[in-house]
Amino acid sequence: MPKQDFVIERYDPVTERSYEQQFTAEYEPGQTVLDCLNSIKWTQDGTLSFRWSCRHAICGSCAMKVNGRSMLACKTQVTDIVDRGDPIRVAPMGNQKVVKDLVVDISNFLDAFERAETWLQELPDQDPPSREYRTDKEEFDRWSHTATCIHCGACYSDCTVVAADPKFLGPAALAKAYRFVFDSRDSKKHERLEFLSEKHGIWDCTRCFMCIEACPKDVLPMDAIMELRTEAMREGITNNHGSRHSNAFRGGVRKRGRLDEATLPILSAGVRLGAIPELIGYTPGALRLLKSRKLIMAAKRHGANREGRRQVRRIFDEVEAEKARSAVDAEAFAAERSSALMAH
Amino acid sequence: MLEHGVLIVGSGLAGMRAALEVSEDPDLDVALLTKVHPLRSHSGAAQGGIAASLNNSNDEDSWELHMYDTVKGADFLADQNAAEILAREAPENIFELEHWGCAFSRLENGLIAQRRFGGHTQPRAVYAADRTGHALLTVLFEQLFRRGVKVYSEWYALDLVLRDNVCQGVVVYDILTGQIDAIAAKAVLFATGGYGRAFQTTTNAAASTGDGIVMAYRAGIPLEDMEFVQFHPTGLQGSGILLSEAARGEGAHILNAEGRRFMEDYAPERMELAPRDIVARAEQTEIDEGRGVTDKKDSVFMDFSPIGEERIRYALPSVLHLARDFAGIDPLQAPVPIQPTAHYSMGGIPCDVDGMVRLKDQNDTPIVGFYAAGECSCVSVHGANRLGTNSLLEAVVFGRRAGRAIRTAVRDLAPTRIEEGDLQRAVAEVDRLLKGDGPERAGAIRQELREVMMIDCGVFRTRPQLENCLSTLKNLQERYQRIAIDDKGWQFNTDLVEAIELGHMLEYAEVIITGALAREESRGGHFRKDFPTRDDQRWHKHTLAYRTDDGPRLAYADVNMQPQYRDPFPLEERKY
C-alpha cells in the first residue's frame, strides 16, 4: 500500500498550545483523508480529535483545512491531492475558535442562521391548505440547489469577509436566506431583504469566490448573494451603502462612459447629514490618492470621448430594453402559469 | 444535577419531531440531548423518499394498500395495529412537513412528486431529489430553532435511570468538558437510532452504535426482534456507502458477471424492485456462486444506462456524486459495483403505538415516563423487513405520536429524583476506561467484531456460523475489559466516547446473535440456510431478550393482528 505523510495542526486545550505533528499513514487508492485520519487515530495516536459521522458528504461534520483550503475530509481522496511526495497538511477550519485539534466551535456560524431567521414564515392568521401548497416547478428549480446545504461551514471557514468582520452573516446563512426570499410559501420576503441589506449582510460580500470553491454541495452561495442584491434593489430597498454604491457606479459609467472614482464614495455614502462621519473616514484614503496624483486626474473633466460615451449609453439602452422585454414575458408567463394552477 | 420536564435523547427525525410536538405546550420544559449536533444526525443520510398514499402520480393508491405492502414486506411479523397507523397517518404528516417548508420535489402541476420504490405496489415515495432525509432533517431543525427548544449538543447519554418501572432521568456526559452529570425528567424519550455499526460493511454513520438500545437493556428492559437486520442490496463495493434505492425506482438494472438481470430468477414480477432482503440475498447468491464482478468477484453491477442522462442528473444527483466521489466511477459511463450492506435495524426497544415503552410480557407492563421512537424503537411496524421509504415515515409519524402522548401524560407524572448512586456505574466505567492500562486496543476489537458479524451473522446465517460468532464475541467482550485508551484528558475526548460506544456494540451484538441462533426459520432480513423457509407455526412471534449476567434470556410475544379500521391481513406466502 502507498504511504503518505501528514502534518496535522494540533491544539491542546489544557496547555492552550498549538503545534504541528507529523504522521505517516498507508492508504489504498480510493481512500480519503478521513480514512487516513481514522487509521492514525486507531493505530497510532488516539488523542487526535476530529468530528466525523456519515462518511459520505451528507452530515457535514468533517470540514477542515486540507492543504490550506476548507473541504470535507470524507470527500477528499488522497490520490487527488498528493503532490510530489509533499506531506498533506491538515488544520482546523478558519474563522472559528479551535476547541481541540481539528474540532472548532461552530456556534458563531450557526448563530448567523438564527439572526437571519432562516425558517419558513407563513402568512399569519391564515390556515394552510388541507393538502400541500402548490409550488411551481420553475420556482422550485430556482432555489432547490440552495436547500442542499449541509451546514458543514467550509464556506464560512474560507470566507474573506468573516475573517475581517465576525458579524458578517456569511455565505451559508445568506444562501439559505435566498431560498426563503424566493420561496412562495414565505410571507416575509420584503422584511428579509431589508434585514439582509443592513450592515453585515449581502452588501458586505467582496465577491472573492472562496465560498463557491469551498462548497462541497454546489450551493453557489456567492451567486445567491448577488441575486439577493438585485432582488433587494428591485424591491426598492436602496437606502443603504451597497445599493447606493451600485447605483452610483452604474450612473457614473452611463453618464461619462467610465468610472468616476472621485464622486463614487460620496454618492455611495449618500447625500445626507448622516453620511458626514463616513466621508470624514475617507479623508486619509483621499489624501493618499491626491499624493499619488490619482484624484487630480479624477477632478479633471475626465471621461471617454464623445463617440465612446455614445457607445456605452447604447449598451445600457439595449440591456435595459432587453430586461424590460423579459420582465413583460416573465409576468405574462407567471400569470398564465398561476391561472393554469388555479384551474387544476 | 439538571432538570427538565421532558428530555428527548437523540436529534434525528423522530427526536426532533417529538420535541416539536411537546413544545406545542408552552408550559412544558422540553430539552433535546444529542451526541452529535442535530444537523449531523443520521436521518439526514436517508436518500430515496418517504411513503404516503397521496395519489399525486396516480389515483389507485390507498392507506390500505400501503398497509398491505408494509405487512407483506415485513414478512407478516409487523404488528398490524401499528402498520395501520403508519399508513393512515402518512398523508397528514407529509402535508404538515410541506407547510413547514420542506423542499419536496414537484410535479409539473405544482403538487408533490411521487415515485416507485421496492416492495410498494404504487408510486407513493414522496421525495426531495435523492436527499429526502436531509430535506426533512433540515426543516425540523429550522422549526426547532424557531421555537427555541433547548438543545444539549454533543452531550452523550450514558445510563437510563429507572426505579420500580418508573423513569427518573438519564446520566449524561458533556463531551466538551468531560463532566458527568444527570438530568432528571418526568418523561424521557429515546430516539437514539439504529445499530448497524456492528457490521463491517454498512451504510450507517459512525454514530449508529445502538447507545439507547443498550441503555434500556442494561436498565432491565427487554430488546425486541434484534436478530432482524436489513441488508441493503445497493451499497458501494468496499465502503458500503448507500446508493439510493431510488436508482432502482427510476429504472436501474442489476447485472451479474454474465451481464444478465439475474433478478428474473428470484422475483420475476417485481425484478429489481422486489424488497431489499430479497434483492440482497439474490446478489449474495450470485456472488457466492462465482458470478460476481470486478477482480474480487465480491459484488454485482448496477447499470444506470436504462434511465437516461437527463433524468439521472435531475432525479439522482447524489447517486451520481456518490459513485464518482467514493468509487471513482461515473454512472453515466460505466456500471457501478455494488454489494449488500448492513442498513437498518428492525429490532429495538419494545413500545406501543404511542411510543410508551412496554415490556410486552403477560401484563404488557408499561415503564412509566419512558418512551421510544424511530429506529431505536420496535413498535413494530417493520416486522422482519422494512420497506424503503417507511423509515422516515415511521420516525415522523411515531415521533409525533410519542410527543403528543408525552404532552398529555406528563401533567399527571410526579417529579422524579436522581440519587448519587445512580451515577455510580457510569462514573466507574469512565474511570476504568481512562485509567485502563491493559494490552488491548479498542480499534482492533471493533474491527474483529465487525468482521465476524458480517461473515457469520450477515445476509446468510447457519448454526455453526452463529455459534462461532458467539464464541468470538465472548472473547472480544473479555478483551474489552483489558483495553487502554490513549487520551486521558477530559476535553473533547473522542477516544473515550468511541470506547464507550464499542462497549455498547459488544453488548447488543450478543443479543442479535442469540436471537438469530434461536430463531430456526427464515423470515425477512433473517435467513437461516439450515432453516430456509418461514415457519409460522413455531415462529410467528416477536423475540424479547432480557439481560442477565450469563447472556440474554429469551422470551416471546404474539404479533398484533388487530387493526382498528379493517380486518387483519391473513398470513400468506411472500412472493414478488
Side-chain angles (χ1 to χ4, degrees):
Chain A
M1 278 203 287
K3 283 183 180 167
Q4 174 63 38
D5 291 334
F6 286 82
V7 172
I8 301 178
E9 194 177 306
R10 306 198 56 179
Y11 174 74
D12 180 343
V14 177
T15 60
E16 296 180 11
R17 191 173 71 97
S18 297
Y19 58 102
E20 287 185 339
Q21 194 174 356
Q22 183 150 347
F23 296 94
T24 304
E26 291 185 331
Y27 70 97
E28 284 180 62
Q31 286 198 306
T32 62
V33 170
L34 175 64
D35 291 327
C36 291
L37 290 176
N38 270 327
S39 130
I40 291 168
K41 182 175 180 70
W42 292 337
T43 61
Q44 299 178 45
D45 185 350
T47 66
L48 181 65
S49 292
F50 49 93
R51 292 189 181 103
W52 69 286
S53 196
C54 77
R55 309 166 292 147
H56 63 272
I58 194 71
C59 78
S61 302
C62 67
M64 54 186 72
K65 282 196 173 173
V66 179
N67 290 340
R69 289 299 188 87
S70 297
M71 55 189 83
L72 297 176
C74 74
K75 201 187 165 202
T76 305
Q77 297 207 6
V78 177
T79 43
D80 288 348
I81 53 166
V82 285
D83 190 14
R84 300 184 308 273
D86 287 350
I88 292 172
R89 308 188 74 84
V90 182
M93 279 198 285
N95 291 335
Q96 290 154 100
K97 193 173 164 287
V98 180
V99 172
K100 184 182 179 189
D101 295 340
L102 304 172
V103 178
V104 300
D105 178 356
I106 61 170
S107 52
N108 216 25
F109 167 67
L110 291 173
D111 282 349
F113 294 92
E114 198 164 4
R115 281 159 59 210
E117 299 190 356
T118 53
W119 48 80
L120 191 78
Q121 304 196 42
E122 312 88 328
L123 287 165
D125 311 321
Q126 188 179 313
D127 285 336
S130 60
R131 291 181 56 100
E132 68 266 55
Y133 290 102
R134 286 180 188 248
T135 297
D136 192 292
K137 194 155 172 286
E138 307 255 334
E139 177 206 310
F140 178 78
D141 290 344
R142 174 173 193 173
W143 55 252
S144 65
H145 69 285
T146 61
T148 65
C149 171
I150 56 171
H151 312 88
C152 67
C155 61
Y156 193 82
S157 165
D158 280 1
C159 175
T160 53
V161 181
V162 175
D165 172 19
K167 285 190 183 159
F168 178 52
L169 286 166
L174 289 172
K176 183 143 185 169
Y178 168 94
R179 175 257 154 105
F180 290 105
V181 163
F182 290 104
D183 189 327
S184 58
R185 292 170 290 186
D186 194 86
S187 67
K188 291 279 184 356
K189 177 174 183 172
H190 192 82
E191 291 89 330
R192 288 183 189 281
L193 287 167
E194 278 189 332
F195 170 76
L196 297 172
S197 298
E198 289 173 12
K199 202 164 162 39
H200 316 301
I202 48 178
W203 294 103
D204 288 17
C205 168
T206 60
R207 291 195 278 185
C208 72
F209 281 87
M210 292 293 273
C211 57
I212 289 184
E213 290 205 9
C215 179
K217 302 306 267 190
D218 299 331
V219 169
L220 307 175
M222 193 193 84
D223 289 358
I225 297 169
M226 294 309 119
E227 285 190 53
L228 283 171
R229 287 181 177 179
T230 310
E231 195 65 14
M233 290 177 73
R234 196 175 290 145
E235 285 269 318
I237 304 164
T238 51
N239 186 23
N240 56 65
H241 191 282
S243 55
R244 277 194 298 265
H245 181 84
S246 178
N247 275 331
F249 200 106
R250 193 182 62 129
V253 173
R254 186 188 177 127
K255 194 167 164 195
R256 295 211 169 82
R258 59 176 290 176
L259 184 62
D260 185 349
E261 304 258 17
T263 54
L264 190 62
I266 299 167
L267 292 171
S268 299
V271 184
R272 60 198 171 98
L273 271 179
I276 291 171
E278 183 180 336
L279 289 172
I280 292 172
Y282 288 139
T283 315
L287 288 175
R288 277 200 300 280
L289 284 175
L290 261 179
K291 209 170 152 195
S292 57
R293 302 170 66 86
K294 286 189 175 162
L295 261 192
I296 293 171
M297 248 185 67
K300 283 191 207 160
R301 264 186 64 81
H302 74 292
N305 62 33
R306 182 172 302 187
E307 179 49 30
R309 285 206 297 275
R310 224 192 334 259
Q311 294 246 20
V312 169
R313 239 171 258 178
R314 211 164 56 226
I315 294 171
F316 268 90
D317 288 345
E318 265 186 41
V319 169
E320 275 161 16
E322 174 60 35
K323 265 164 66 183
R325 271 197 303 275
S326 60
V328 170
D329 287 351
E331 220 162 278
F333 179 77
E336 193 184 306
R337 191 118 200 131
S338 61
S339 66
L341 285 177
M342 306 268 250
H344 183 89
Chain B
M1 196 84 65
L2 300 155
E3 194 173 349
H4 289 283
V6 180
L7 179 68
I8 302 204
V9 182
S11 60
L13 242 51
M16 286 206 276
R17 186 63 195 83
L20 288 172
E21 202 59 30
V22 177
S23 76
E24 289 283 306
D25 182 343
D27 295 335
L28 284 181
D29 165 25
V30 54
L32 186 68
L33 181 137
T34 161
K35 69 174 177 175
V36 296
H37 185 276
L39 287 167
R40 313 296 182 221
S41 303
H42 191 50
S43 300
Q47 297 174 10
I50 175 166
S53 53
L54 305 185
N55 272 323
N56 282 3
S57 292
N58 69 336
D59 52 11
E60 289 153 29
D61 206 2
S62 65
W63 69 263
E64 288 176 283
L65 272 177
H66 185 185
M67 177 186 166
Y68 171 73
D69 289 343
T70 300
V71 168
K72 181 179 171 188
D75 222 344
F76 296 88
L77 194 67
D79 286 319
Q80 296 209 11
N81 61 335
E84 178 183 49
I85 286 170
L86 182 83
R88 274 177 60 90
E89 295 186 3
E92 65 190 72
N93 274 276
I94 299 296
F95 296 140
E96 185 173 54
L97 291 160
E98 197 277 339
H99 296 156
W100 285 343
C102 189
F104 290 126
S105 296
R106 300 288 168 158
L107 297 168
E108 290 294 339
N109 64 12
L111 294 176
I112 293 172
Q114 296 191 273
R115 66 176 157 215
R116 296 198 167 274
F117 235 75
H120 293 280
T121 51
Q122 300 291 323
R124 67 168 73 97
V126 168
Y127 59 95
D130 50 2
R131 38 187 178 244
T132 313
H134 171 262
L136 292 167
L137 190 73
T138 307
V139 79
L140 289 186
F141 184 68
E142 287 161 12
Q143 295 297 317
L144 206 69
F145 233 7
R146 177 187 195 171
R147 292 163 206 222
V149 172
K150 162 80 185 166
V151 178
Y152 292 92
S153 185
E154 295 181 326
W155 284 57
Y156 190 30
L158 295 179
D159 271 319
L160 169 70
V161 182
L162 302 184
R163 247 187 292 285
D164 302 326
N165 287 344
V166 179
C167 175
Q168 308 292 319
V170 177
V171 179
V172 295
Y173 170 86
D174 179 357
I175 295 173
L176 181 63
T177 66
Q179 189 149 356
I180 296 177
D181 206 334
I183 302 180
K186 288 189 209 171
V188 171
L189 171 86
F190 273 10
T192 52
Y195 48 85
R197 285 302 287 184
F199 295 86
Q200 176 64 23
T201 307
T202 178
T203 62
N204 284 193
S208 301
T209 51
D211 303 319
I213 286 167
V214 171
M215 281 186 273
Y217 184 55
R218 287 178 179 161
I221 293 163
L223 299 182
E224 183 174 350
D225 291 343
M226 290 288 285
E227 63 270 32
F228 294 100
V229 176
Q230 177 171 81
F231 292 87
H232 196 295
T234 61
L236 283 178
Q237 179 198 27
S239 65
I241 288 170
L242 176 67
L243 284 190
S244 173
E245 184 166 323
R248 286 181 288 142
E250 295 286 349
H253 291 172
I254 303 180
L255 311 173
N256 63 13
E258 298 159 359
R260 202 164 63 83
R261 286 177 76 187
F262 57 84
M263 282 311 298
E264 65 192 12
D265 302 339
Y266 302 87
E269 270 182 42
R270 301 286 294 161
M271 295 293 284
E272 282 87 352
L273 282 173
R276 290 171 178 173
D277 57 325
I278 291 172
V279 183
R281 275 195 296 279
E283 282 179 9
Q284 194 63 49
T285 305
E286 294 295 308
I287 293 165
D288 291 347
E289 293 178 0
R291 292 186 293 279
V293 301
T294 75
D295 298 346
K296 295 180 178 167
K297 295 193 175 296
D298 63 351
S299 43
V300 293
F301 277 138
M302 177 128 84
D303 175 16
F304 288 78
S305 59
I307 306 176
E309 179 170 341
E310 197 185 335
R311 182 65 191 168
I312 295 177
R313 287 188 194 283
Y314 188 78
L316 303 168
S318 306
V319 167
L320 203 54
H321 281 290
L322 289 170
R324 284 174 177 168
D325 294 339
F326 300 101
I329 293 169
D330 181 355
L332 298 176
Q333 306 292 333
V336 182
I338 51 164
Q339 61 186 183
T341 175
H343 182 56
Y344 188 83
S345 317
M346 268 77 73
I349 304 167
C351 65
D352 65 21
V353 294
D354 291 313
M356 178 171 258
V357 175
R358 290 179 178 274
L359 301 185
K360 300 195 179 175
D361 52 7
Q362 273 180 339
N363 306 319
D364 207 15
T365 311
I367 305 294
V368 177
F370 183 44
Y371 296 79
E375 194 171 349
C376 76
S377 72
C378 187
V379 184
S380 134
V381 283
H382 308 307
N385 173 61
R386 172 178 72 76
L387 291 189
T389 67
N390 267 353
S391 64
L392 292 177
L393 181 62
E394 181 205 7
V396 172
V397 166
F398 289 95
R400 183 169 85 152
R401 288 180 67 94
R404 281 188 184 170
I406 290 171
R407 211 172 59 204
T408 316
V410 80
R411 298 177 179 287
D412 302 324
L413 292 177
T416 57
R417 62 176 205 289
I418 294 199
E419 294 159 4
E420 204 55 44
D422 295 328
L423 276 68
Q424 272 315 306
R425 196 211 67 87
V427 169
E429 177 74 353
V430 167
D431 193 52
R432 178 183 81 80
L433 290 168
L434 285 176
K435 289 189 180 143
D437 58 357
E440 300 289 349
R441 290 190 71 92
I445 295 176
R446 181 171 48 234
Q447 186 53 31
E448 287 177 46
L449 169 72
R450 298 179 64 196
E451 278 172 15
V452 75
M453 289 295 286
M454 196 71 204
I455 293 167
D456 284 338
C457 194
V459 176
F460 291 117
R461 301 159 174 180
T462 62
R463 171 166 286 279
Q465 279 183 300
L466 290 166
E467 282 171 348
N468 175 59
C469 197
L470 191 58
S471 68
T472 308
L473 179 86
K474 290 281 183 196
N475 175 260
L476 294 174
Q477 286 175 337
E478 271 172 39
R479 285 168 57 192
Y480 179 70
Q481 295 305 315
R482 299 192 298 274
I483 66 166
I485 60 174
D486 291 339
D487 198 339
K488 311 288 187 188
W490 285 106
Q491 277 154 311
F492 224 94
N493 189 340
T494 51
D495 207 18
L496 174 69
V497 171
E498 286 184 0
I500 298 171
E501 289 171 336
L502 174 60
H504 293 163
M505 289 156 71
L506 291 166
E507 185 99 51
Y508 70 69
E510 188 178 358
V511 186
I512 300 174
I513 304 165
T514 310
L517 203 46
R519 188 175 281 274
E520 294 181 334
E521 67 156 353
S522 291
R523 184 188 296 271
H526 168 71
F527 197 95
R528 288 281 299 263
K529 272 193 158 172
D530 39 1
F531 297 92
T533 53
R534 198 175 81 192
D535 182 353
D536 290 328
Q537 206 72 34
R538 288 178 66 208
W539 292 106
H540 185 238
K541 57 190 182 185
H542 296 295
T543 307
L544 291 166
Y546 286 86
R547 188 179 190 283
T548 76
D549 288 342
D550 307 322
R553 173 176 66 79
L554 300 182
Y556 293 90
D558 290 341
V559 177
N560 181 300
M561 297 293 279
Q562 290 161 322
Q564 203 179 336
Y565 297 94
R566 56 153 297 127
D567 293 334
F569 292 108
L571 275 69
E572 58 177 79
E573 192 193 350
R574 182 167 170 253
K575 271 197 315 208
Y576 289 95

